[in-house]
């Protein structure tokens, strides 16, 4: 199962020119990576900060795609794993449905809406805190997701 998850992350994170917004994200990354924060109000803070940090570390734009793929895909997997406790088959089926689902919340959608998919992954992973009645941690995950 973990090979499927990380294989999906690799495909999504190292894609090139796939998704309708790929070139837009690439352009925004180049602007923010160079330290131009003049238009930061039109985009979520996490994208601006991550672009600047990755640019400072001299990473290419592919790092932003990889980072967002890890957050969104692993977040979904983590949530599935928590909902299907001790049932690897249920986790596998749910993850395969996620991969094949082609509308908001699915894998193919996450290649276009990388920031929204990351927020969805964070909230879905954080929703597992509701089972253990740890509302504060769930609310913290929602607050973190708001930056995406």
């Amino acid at each position: 199962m973990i090979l499927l998850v990380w294989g999906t992350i690799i495909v999504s994170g190292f894609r090139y020119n796939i998704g309708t917004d790929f070139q837009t994200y690439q352009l925004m990354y180049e602007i923010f990576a160079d330290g131009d924060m003049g238009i930061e109000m039109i985009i979520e803070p996490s994208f601006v900060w991550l672009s600047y940090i990755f640019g400072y570390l001299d990473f290419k734009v592919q790092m932003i795609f990889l980072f967002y793929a890890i957050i969104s895909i692993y977040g979904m997997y983590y949530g599935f794993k928590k909902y299907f406790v001790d049932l690897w088959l249920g986790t596998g089926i749910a993850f395969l449905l996620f991969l094949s689902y082609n509308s908001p919340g699915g894998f193919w959608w996450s290649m276009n809406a990388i920031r929204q998919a990351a927020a969805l992954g964070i909230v879905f992973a954080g929703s597992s805190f509701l089972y253990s009645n740890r509302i504060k941690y769930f609310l913290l995950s929602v607050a973190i997701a708001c930056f995406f």
Side-chain angles (χ1 to χ4, degrees):
M1 187 62 177
I2 203 72
L3 290 175
L4 177 63
V5 172
W6 283 103
T8 305
I9 288 171
I10 296 298
V11 167
S12 180
F14 288 103
R15 71 186 184 273
Y16 178 74
N17 212 14
I18 295 176
T20 56
D21 292 338
F22 182 89
Q23 293 175 350
T24 303
Y25 287 124
Q26 187 174 21
L27 178 63
M28 288 190 305
Y29 176 80
E30 291 167 2
I31 290 170
F32 296 132
D34 287 338
D36 184 2
M37 304 298 178
I39 59 171
E40 68 182 304
M41 296 310 247
I42 64 168
I43 194 150
E44 292 80 7
S46 67
F47 190 86
V48 175
W49 299 331
L50 289 169
S51 296
Y52 179 75
I53 291 167
F54 291 158
Y56 180 80
L57 295 172
D58 205 29
F59 289 131
K60 302 296 181 205
V61 69
Q62 217 60 53
M63 183 56 75
I64 203 92
F65 289 109
L66 181 61
F67 179 83
Y68 277 91
I70 291 169
I71 297 295
S72 59
I73 294 169
Y74 191 78
M76 294 302 286
Y77 168 72
Y78 182 83
F80 292 143
K81 190 174 161 185
K82 290 296 182 180
Y83 284 111
F84 295 104
V85 178
D86 296 328
L87 185 61
W88 68 268
L89 183 61
T91 302
I93 291 171
F95 192 74
L96 288 173
L97 287 173
F98 163 71
L99 291 179
S100 62
Y101 191 55
N102 192 19
S103 60
F107 172 68
W108 298 108
W109 170 79
S110 73
M111 292 225 203
N112 288 321
I114 62 172
R115 296 167 293 143
Q116 295 86 348
L120 183 66
I122 292 167
V123 169
F124 194 68
S127 68
S128 64
F129 291 122
L130 294 174
Y131 275 122
S132 56
N133 203 25
R134 295 170 21 191
I135 304 298
K136 291 179 186 177
Y137 290 107
F138 170 70
L139 293 175
L140 178 62
S141 70
V142 171
I144 292 169
C146 287
F147 287 96
F148 286 82

